[in-house]
Amino acid sequence: MKPTGLVEEWEVWQYAARLSEVTIVERVRVLNQLALESECNLLTIRALDIVRWYASHSGDWGDSTHATYHSYLSVFFKWLQLQEHRLDNPLLKVGSPKAPERVARPIADAAMLTILKSNMHHRTRVMILLAGLGGLRCSEIARFKGEHIDLERGRFLVAGKHKTVKYVPLHPILATTAETMPARGYWFPSNSSRPGQCVRGKSVSDMVATAIRRSGVEATAHQLRHWYGTTLLEDGADIRVVQELLRHASLISTQIYTKATDVRMHAAIRTLDPYRAVA
């Protein structure tokens, strides 16, 4: 079977397993990138070929990206063995890169203000507000519809990861913004290449990142979500409440935001008094 056919078969298998489109598209992209850049057949590619491919991107991949892409390859080569397309698994000789400790990287309050004050398309501004005041991921923003807004109850619906659906409270600014957007259908419909569908999450990420960069701030779209979670904690919200608002399945995921609460750490340091015994 040709490499292209292999990847297509794997793509179909993933859809049959009801994985999210975002996950499938990204996995397929990485596999095609490996085949193209290594100039190797995925049925015969060696561990050395994969290591050399990793090394060719050492300057533009962070540790997290490297670990993520390795996990994609791991799933793929295990699938090849399961389908009896290949007897060996070259990744067993490569070893697994250690994923870095996850930490929240919220933008500063002043940076958020700078972004919101800058000029940009209204559509992009709405995306930024959904991320910063709703805590939405880029893929969730892409799928947002007018029907998701429930002004009467002051809430909105989020179609999240793993096909989860959850209502969360609606920020007053988002409620006002909703009046400027379609009451029905996707807020961010795709162009003519995907009629009737929404834009992709990657497109949302790129549009927001471009607007942020033009404002003079160095940050990613996902850091707006980090600002949302961290600011809630710093302002005194209970961590279980923040877990629900961020829609984390595990409290462990929410705890990464507690590591970034500089306000609390500075406040704790200021309580240290070396002369308290005198008092």
Side-chain angles (χ1 to χ4, degrees):
M1 180 180 291
K2 294 181 179 180
T4 302
L6 264 182
V7 175
E8 290 177 347
E9 182 182 332
W10 186 52
E11 182 178 3
V12 171
W13 181 85
Q14 291 179 96
Y15 274 109
R18 300 183 65 81
L19 298 181
S20 74
E21 182 180 6
V22 174
T23 297
I24 297 170
V25 169
E26 183 64 4
R27 284 180 173 181
V28 168
R29 183 190 68 79
V30 172
L31 257 294
N32 284 328
Q33 183 180 351
L34 169 62
L36 178 65
E37 295 179 351
S38 69
E39 298 182 344
C40 292
N41 188 318
L42 297 177
L43 284 174
T44 57
I45 192 170
R46 303 170 301 164
L48 182 59
D49 298 319
I50 295 173
V51 169
R52 285 174 175 166
W53 182 62
Y54 286 167
S56 71
H57 287 283
S58 60
D60 55 294
W61 289 357
D63 292 342
S64 180
T65 297
H66 185 184
T68 299
Y69 288 2
H70 182 86
S71 71
Y72 294 165
L73 299 190
S74 179
V75 172
F76 175 71
F77 284 111
K78 287 179 180 177
W79 174 82
L80 285 183
Q81 289 182 300
L82 179 66
Q83 300 297 319
E84 299 182 348
H85 289 310
R86 170 166 192 156
L87 295 178
D88 67 319
N89 183 341
L91 286 192
L92 295 180
K93 296 180 181 179
V94 174
S96 299
K98 184 178 180 180
E101 181 182 12
R102 295 179 62 205
V103 294
R105 297 182 300 116
I107 64 173
D109 291 347
M112 174 64 90
L113 188 58
T114 297
I115 293 169
L116 293 176
K117 283 185 175 181
S118 65
N119 293 323
M120 66 184 75
H121 291 297
H122 180 65
R123 182 162 104 148
T124 306
R125 184 176 300 277
V126 175
M127 291 176 178
I128 289 173
L129 290 174
L130 285 171
L133 299 180
L136 270 64
R137 305 174 179 91
C138 289
S139 59
E140 295 165 344
I141 293 172
R143 296 191 296 269
F144 203 85
K145 293 181 176 181
E147 295 90 335
H148 292 169
I149 294 287
D150 184 351
L151 289 175
E152 184 177 345
R153 295 179 175 83
R155 63 182 188 174
F156 67 99
L157 183 145
V158 182
K161 295 172 66 175
H162 311 301
K163 298 181 174 62
T164 59
V165 177
K166 185 178 180 63
Y167 275 103
V168 294
L170 182 66
H171 191 282
I173 293 178
L174 283 178
T176 301
T177 302
E179 297 175 0
T180 68
M181 301 298 287
R184 302 187 64 81
Y186 289 118
W187 276 11
F188 314 108
S190 179
N191 55 28
S192 56
S193 64
R194 286 162 52 88
Q197 299 185 57
C198 61
V199 298
R200 296 190 186 279
K202 182 67 167 58
S203 297
V204 172
S205 177
D206 290 344
M207 283 187 279
V208 171
T210 298
I212 292 175
R213 186 169 58 253
R214 286 176 177 168
S215 74
V217 175
E218 289 296 325
T220 65
H222 200 66
Q223 285 179 258
L224 297 171
R225 174 175 161 86
H226 286 189
W227 179 86
Y228 173 84
T230 302
T231 303
L232 287 170
L233 286 168
E234 288 184 342
D235 288 348
D238 182 82
I239 191 170
R240 279 286 291 114
V241 172
V242 177
Q243 178 191 0
E244 290 295 318
L245 291 172
L246 287 168
R247 305 170 313 284
H248 285 152
S250 169
L251 192 61
I252 294 175
S253 297
T254 313
Q255 286 173 340
I256 71 167
Y257 291 82
T258 66
K259 299 176 184 177
T261 53
D262 289 340
V263 171
R264 289 185 177 182
M265 288 192 288
H266 283 288
I269 290 298
R270 286 195 295 270
T271 66
L272 292 175
D273 183 3
Y275 302 104
R276 62 183 181 178
V278 177

